[in-house]
Amino acid sequence: MSCNHHPDDSTLLSYGAGSLPDALSMVVACHLAVCDDCHDKVAHAEQIGLRLMEQEPVESISKSSRDWMLAMLDEPVEEVCSETWKTPEADLDVDIPEPLRPMIGQWFSDLHWRTMAPGMKQFILPASQGKLRLLKIAPGTFMPSHGHSGSELTLVLKGSYSDELGRFSAGDVADVDPDMTHQPVADTHEGCICLIATDGPLRFKGLVPRLLQPFFQL
């Protein structure tokens, strides 16, 4: 897949270091599943981190800990036949990235979407840090203009949308900081499904848009 918008390098480095909240990490993982360039960047960052760790002084471990580690290495590894878990391609929604499938299943149509406003539905996903949701926007629907009190990562899974940053299609990521205010609109020919992670509530302007505020709280 050819992607035109990617997470910032700082976001990729944080992901590689394991310091991103799990909600944001899921969005990055789904992008890496379809973007070879970003996947290679993270792999390179992890290699650098490993070399740095190898240069750190080695601390001795207790004899009991050493014996436990050696015993674990001697444990037989259970072999799993790949045919027991692979799902036929015909039974998959190809728009769902592999890292997301264990959380939502195989089809967007099987989810219990909750209506937020005309033309907008959401499905909340579990996350221990931050907020993770799927947002489904009908063709031609405008989201209210909003800002952010924290970081926001949006990955397009299906369809496309446009805002002040440009046009985002399947596989693209919008890496938005608190200084950004935007108003996404789904393309008119097809609806749009996005995976969105935030680590702070959105900030809507105007009385009517603020009615959406409770839906976007952490």
Side-chain angles (χ1 to χ4, degrees):
M1 179 181 292
S2 177
C3 301
N4 297 313
H5 300 275
H6 309 268
D8 291 340
D9 286 347
S10 60
T11 300
L12 294 176
L13 289 174
S14 296
Y15 174 83
S19 59
L20 276 184
D22 62 343
L24 300 175
S25 291
M26 175 55 69
V27 175
V28 175
C30 290
H31 176 72
L32 297 183
V34 298
C35 180
D36 292 337
D37 290 342
C38 289
H39 184 277
D40 291 344
K41 284 185 179 181
V42 170
H44 182 61
E46 290 175 340
Q47 289 176 358
I48 294 175
L50 181 60
R51 293 193 187 102
L52 292 174
M53 290 179 61
E54 290 173 345
Q55 295 174 8
E56 291 293 323
V58 178
E59 295 183 5
S60 60
I61 61 175
S62 66
K63 184 179 183 300
S64 60
S65 296
R66 180 176 180 276
D67 292 342
W68 177 82
M69 292 173 63
L70 292 175
M72 290 295 292
L73 291 174
D74 291 335
E75 288 289 328
V77 177
E78 181 180 354
E79 294 185 1
V80 179
C81 177
S82 60
E83 297 300 323
T84 62
W85 59 265
K86 283 188 176 179
T87 305
E89 197 66 30
D91 292 336
L92 301 177
D93 188 328
V94 296
D95 298 308
I96 302 177
E98 187 63 35
L100 194 58
R101 293 189 185 280
M103 299 182 72
I104 69 173
Q106 311 298 340
W107 295 94
F108 286 128
S109 58
D110 290 339
L111 300 178
H112 298 291
W113 296 92
R114 181 182 180 185
T115 299
M116 303 168 60
M120 293 176 55
K121 297 181 179 181
Q122 74 170 351
F123 182 82
I124 301 296
L125 297 167
S128 61
Q129 299 171 307
K131 193 81 169 184
L132 185 65
R133 60 170 56 84
L134 290 168
L135 191 63
K136 186 177 184 180
I137 311 173
T141 299
F142 284 79
M143 276 197 68
S145 179
H146 63 275
H148 309 82
S149 60
S151 299
E152 177 188 84
L153 287 177
T154 299
L155 170 66
V156 179
L157 301 178
K158 187 173 184 178
S160 59
Y161 75 86
S162 298
D163 66 3
E164 288 79 355
L165 295 174
R167 185 171 184 268
F168 293 79
S169 302
D172 287 339
V173 169
D175 195 339
V176 180
D177 60 35
D179 296 328
M180 176 68 184
T181 298
H182 61 150
Q183 185 176 28
V185 54
D187 285 350
T188 56
H189 70 284
E190 183 183 11
C192 183
I193 297 179
C194 297
L195 178 66
I196 304 174
T198 54
D199 61 5
L202 303 188
R203 293 174 175 169
F204 293 96
K205 299 179 179 180
L207 177 59
V208 175
R210 283 179 184 170
L211 296 177
L212 291 174
Q213 190 74 55
F215 293 99
F216 288 94
Q217 299 292 338
L218 291 180

